[in-house]
Amino acid sequence: MGKTLYLKLNQISEVHEKDVRLKDIGTLYSDDPTVLSKCMVLKVKKIPSDRNRRYVGSVLDIIQLIADMDSSIQVENMGETDFIIDYKPKKAPNYLWAWAKTVFVSMVCFCGAAFAIMTFNNDASVTDVFREIYRLVLGQEAGDFTILELSYSIGLAAGVILFFNHFSKWKLNTDPTPLEVEMRLYEDSISKTLIQNDGRKESGVDVT
């Protein structure tokens, strides 16, 4: 009687060991514990290099490896048909370098956002608009700093926090932030590009 293995491969899996097992790149399930144990430790790839690199594979290769191991196992693929192994060798964590990169990126984002806000306010003549509103509502000329500028500054900061749904380690709700959504879209695009490039022939012309 045939034995069934349900296989759900991840689109991309980060590994740190050169011997990549099937359990490292996907989720497996079988009613037969023996089949499950054998398939989980099945070696699907031997990383030949010590450098960071991504390798593209196909579920057909996995099915072939399982068939070579035990031809009575029937594989039901529930996940990706093509997958990526992202190999990164183990390294000791460098907290100083990580903090330096975090501070640098934070400063670049802060200065860039501040410059963008200032140029927008300049182009839209927000100061003149505030002065005109102040004169129309209160009937007198505004000084250098009024309640309008204070309210605008507080509202701008609150709007950014609400839009990004994130402040420090706290989230306002369980929805993913816009930044998280964009990062996932970027990762999906990278994965699809790697898979398409792996299947492209050098002599062919890609017009898609």
Side-chain angles (χ1 to χ4, degrees), residues 54-200:
R54 290 174 174 173
Y55 302 88
V56 178
S58 170
V59 69
L60 296 178
D61 299 329
I62 304 299
I63 294 174
Q64 182 64 53
L65 288 173
I66 295 174
D68 292 341
M69 179 184 66
D70 188 344
S71 59
S72 65
I73 299 177
Q74 179 181 353
V75 180
E76 293 288 343
N77 181 37
M78 314 296 292
E80 301 289 334
T81 55
D82 297 289
F83 61 92
I84 298 172
I85 298 174
D86 185 9
Y87 174 69
K88 294 181 180 179
K90 286 184 177 179
K91 294 180 180 179
N94 189 337
Y95 297 108
L96 179 61
W97 176 239
W99 275 105
K101 290 190 292 183
T102 301
V103 171
F104 175 75
V105 172
S106 299
M107 291 300 299
V108 169
C109 292
F110 177 81
C111 294
F115 182 77
I117 292 172
M118 288 188 292
T119 52
F120 167 77
N121 291 339
N122 227 18
D123 292 341
S125 299
V126 174
T127 304
D128 295 339
V129 173
F130 284 165
R131 286 176 181 172
E132 187 64 20
I133 293 174
Y134 194 89
R135 186 183 65 80
L136 291 174
V137 174
L138 298 180
Q140 60 185 17
E141 295 297 328
D144 293 334
F145 185 78
T146 67
I147 188 65
L148 293 176
E149 284 82 6
L150 178 62
S151 303
Y152 177 73
S153 301
I154 295 175
L156 186 63
V160 169
I161 293 173
L162 289 173
F163 176 76
F164 283 101
N165 184 29
H166 192 82
F167 182 75
S168 185
K169 61 181 179 180
W170 299 284
K171 293 184 67 174
L172 303 179
N173 53 53
T174 57
D175 295 337
T177 67
L179 186 59
E180 289 173 335
V181 173
E182 290 300 320
M183 287 300 297
R184 296 301 168 266
L185 291 174
Y186 174 75
E187 289 177 356
D188 287 343
S189 298
I190 291 293
S191 298
K192 290 178 182 177
T193 301
L194 288 171
I195 291 171
Q196 290 174 359
N197 285 349
D198 184 72
R200 181 187 301 173

